Amino acid sequence: MSQVVEHSEENRGAFSSRKVFILAAIGSAVGLGNIWRFPYVAYENGGGAFLIPYLIALLTAGLPFLLLDYGLGHRYRGSAPLAFRRAHKAAEGLGWWQVGICFVIAVYYAAVIAWAARYAFFSFDKAWGDDPEGFLFGTYLQAGDPGIGLDFVSGVTIPLVLVWVAVLAIMALGVQKGIGAASVVFIPVLFIAFIALVVVALTLDGASTGLDALFTPDWSALGETSVWIAAYGQIFFSLSVGFGIMITYASYVGRRSDMTGSGLVVGFANSGFELLAGIGVFAALGFMATAAGVPVDEVATDGLGLAFIAFPAIISEAPAGALIGVLFFGSLVVAGVTSLVSVIEVVISAVRDKFEMSRVGASMAVGVPAALISIVLLGTTTGVYVLDIIDHFINRFGILLVAVVSMLALSWAFRKTGLLREHLNRDGSVKIGRWWELLIGVFAPAALTFILANELVDNLRTPYEGYPTWMLNTLGWGLAVAVILIGFLAARLPWRDTTFLGDPEIKARQDERSN
């Protein structure tokens, strides 16, 4: 049986070194949210004072959960469903729930990358003119009334197809030649490009005004519950934990690797990039506010508004506008692609493990349907509304919920956190104590449950963005429930090969004793 386990691992692929794994993990963690979400969240929640709850959230929830994912994937040597199944037969559905979430995220995430790629070219001639908002929703997206339509927009559909072609090519090449090689190239390029953007932004008139607005601490904010909720939410969403990515990536690392040290590197690199993004974004917003003669709070925004409305306005006014545009939107593309690759790999890896498929076969079986759904739903005049609803609900009532359930299940139902702690400590350069189990079993799920409850109350009290009820019930609540049901139904499907469902660590030790 041990030969079957090892053979299965060889077929799955692996990263060539711990360094490649770290770069791939950073590539997954550093995504669009780091660039367009963190700066505004920090600004809205106490400025410089926000760094205190942010750091506490990183240490008490972000890093502990990251290490939980690492321990699960590294010890049980499998995709999310296989790792959960090897931990306990009844846990497999949790892995497929995460797989479903990743499939949904991949479908809409590709669209934002396609928009950013198109806007990188728009930056050269400032195609948005004097009205970036009107250009985005009118000229470019051609957004109609909320709904689901089939009026395709060529300026969106064509780059969306190209994004999927590039991503599927990376996936088909495999773990090291595809994901690993792309990460080794893309992550240094991303950091160099973004540092260049920050340097250019800091030279703009009014940059200091923006930085003052971002970093001036409002100490009274530390007494507000909403600020702490924002800190834990930001850490959780930005680290790519809780939905199978880090479990999958950790399964591709050598058996005797330092996973705790790797976790600290990835966690602090992610936070370092967020801080860098805050400096670059608010230096640019300070320029915009100074040029318009208004306070920073009148131009500060996040998400699509920051990326596709505020930054085009900055690019139009700045001395090095075209350079800023290429660097900013190029960074969005690179960060988005590395994150999309990690998200879709969760699904591909699970399908390969369950059905014993080849890398290319699984990549096409997963990627082609995802690409077709993505193009049909998001390449149209109604795509922006579909994206907004799915993103809102799958993040809050998909990722948050499965994270809470998986932490509680591994801690209390299956009693695996002690075993995972021992595994992480075996070769880890940073040893973790029983306090880690307390954080994973009690503190982190309690914090996330509080966030989840607040989100639930808010969404039940006020329909999200005033969208039609049928859209919220299908693309929102319905989809969040569907990934749960489909996940646990998928767990009932038989494994193509049941001989390697045992604990690989136990088999490896038996082999060592027999030799």
Side-chain angles (χ1 to χ4, degrees):
M1 187 182 295
S2 60
Q3 291 178 343
V4 175
V5 173
E6 293 300 329
H7 178 65
S8 174
E9 286 190 33
E10 291 173 7
N11 287 340
R12 295 182 74 249
F15 292 122
S16 62
S17 67
R18 176 170 168 258
K19 180 189 77 172
V20 175
F21 160 68
I22 288 174
L23 287 173
I26 291 173
S28 173
V30 174
L32 302 178
N34 299 69
I35 298 173
W36 74 26
R37 189 173 187 270
F38 170 78
Y40 187 74
V41 170
Y43 171 69
E44 282 282 282
N45 291 279
F50 179 74
L51 297 179
I52 293 176
Y54 176 84
L55 182 60
I56 292 174
L58 174 66
L59 296 175
T60 59
L63 288 175
F65 200 177
L66 182 65
L67 293 179
L68 178 68
D69 276 358
Y70 279 6
L72 193 64
H74 192 250
R75 189 187 198 285
Y76 293 109
R77 318 298 297 168
S79 59
L82 179 56
F84 274 106
R85 169 66 184 247
R86 283 174 166 170
H88 195 283
K89 183 178 180 180
E92 183 185 334
L94 294 173
W96 285 108
W97 183 1
Q98 294 179 344
V99 167
I101 289 171
C102 284
F103 186 87
V104 172
I105 291 173
V107 164
Y108 72 79
Y109 208 81
V112 184
I113 301 171
W115 300 352
R118 195 74 180 93
Y119 263 68
F121 288 97
F122 288 155
S123 299
F124 288 105
D125 60 358
K126 303 175 179 60
W128 45 76
D130 297 327
D131 185 11
E133 183 173 2
F135 176 84
L136 172 64
F137 292 104
T139 307
Y140 179 54
L141 296 178
Q142 299 175 31
D145 294 327
I148 300 177
L150 292 176
D151 296 323
F152 289 93
V153 180
S154 60
V156 176
T157 305
I158 293 173
L160 184 54
V161 170
L162 295 177
V163 167
W164 277 110
V165 169
V167 168
L168 292 184
I170 292 172
M171 307 317 297
L173 286 171
V175 176
Q176 175 56 35
K177 293 182 179 179
I179 301 170
S183 300
V184 168
V185 174
F186 286 168
I187 297 308
V189 168
L190 172 62
F191 274 85
I192 292 170
F194 211 81
I195 288 172
L197 172 64
V198 172
V199 170
V200 173
L202 289 173
T203 65
L204 299 173
D205 291 337
S208 60
T209 302
L211 296 181
D212 286 342
L214 174 61
F215 289 114
T216 298
D218 176 9
W219 300 113
S220 64
L222 298 181
E224 299 176 14
T225 305
S226 61
V227 172
W228 292 86
I229 291 176
Y232 278 89
Q234 177 61 31
I235 282 292
F236 183 78
F237 287 125
S238 71
L239 270 179
S240 293
V241 291
F243 52 112
I245 294 174
M246 295 307 180
I247 295 174
T248 305
Y249 274 11
S251 74
Y252 296 141
V253 186
R255 285 182 178 273
R256 304 310 296 255
S257 296
D258 173 10
M259 300 305 291
T260 56
S262 300
L264 292 179
V265 171
V266 172
F268 284 107
N270 174 72
S271 293
F273 188 87
E274 289 196 317
L275 189 59
L276 185 67
I279 293 171
V281 166
F282 267 82
L285 290 175
F287 163 78
M288 183 178 176
T290 300
V294 298
V296 172
D297 61 2
E298 289 192 22
V299 297
T301 184
D302 66 345
L304 298 182
L306 172 69
F308 300 104
I309 298 174
F311 253 86
I314 293 166
I315 292 165
S316 293
E317 299 292 334
L323 175 61
I324 291 174
V326 171
L327 290 173
F328 178 74
F329 290 112
S331 295
L332 287 183
V333 170
V334 175
V337 167
T338 55
S339 294
L340 177 57
V341 162
S342 69
V343 167
I344 201 71
E345 175 61 16
V346 173
V347 190
I348 292 171
S349 179
V351 169
R352 290 197 68 203
D353 283 347
K354 185 88 170 184
F355 303 108
E356 286 285 292
M357 295 180 68
S358 68
R359 159 61 61 170
V360 174
S363 297
M364 295 304 109
V366 171
V368 172
L372 291 175
I373 295 171
S374 179
I375 292 165
V376 170
L377 285 180
L378 300 164
T380 66
T381 56
T382 56
V384 64
Y385 307 119
V386 172
L387 184 151
D388 190 29
I389 294 172
I390 294 177
D391 174 62
H392 178 79
F393 281 87
I394 207 67
N395 272 284
R396 286 153 180 80
F397 306 109
I399 297 175
L400 274 180
L401 185 57
V402 73
V404 170
V405 173
S406 61
M407 277 190 284
L408 293 176
L410 289 170
S411 297
W412 301 105
F414 309 128
R415 300 283 182 174
K416 293 296 181 181
T417 51
L419 186 67
L420 295 176
R421 180 174 64 84
E422 291 175 5
H423 177 83
L424 290 167
N425 282 338
R426 186 184 65 184
D427 297 298
S429 58
V430 180
K431 307 301 181 183
I432 53 177
R434 293 188 181 277
W435 50 264
W436 176 77
E437 295 180 55
L438 183 64
L439 291 176
I440 288 297
V442 179
F443 187 80
L448 294 182
T449 299
F450 190 74
I451 296 173
L452 189 62
N454 273 273
E455 291 286 353
L456 182 62
V457 170
D458 288 344
N459 280 268
L460 290 176
R461 181 181 296 141
T462 306
Y464 178 62
E465 294 295 332
Y467 284 117
T469 302
W470 71 267
M471 287 188 74
L472 296 178
N473 287 340
T474 52
L475 298 175
W477 300 110
L479 192 58
V481 172
V483 292
I484 301 174
L485 298 177
I486 294 172
F488 282 91
L489 287 174
R492 299 182 65 85
L493 295 175
W495 288 79
R496 182 77 177 271
D497 185 352
T498 59
T499 59
F500 64 92
L501 292 180
D503 189 330
E505 188 72 19
I506 294 176
K507 289 300 174 185
R509 291 175 183 174
Q510 290 174 346
D511 284 350
E512 290 176 3
R513 286 196 295 267
S514 64
N515 292 333

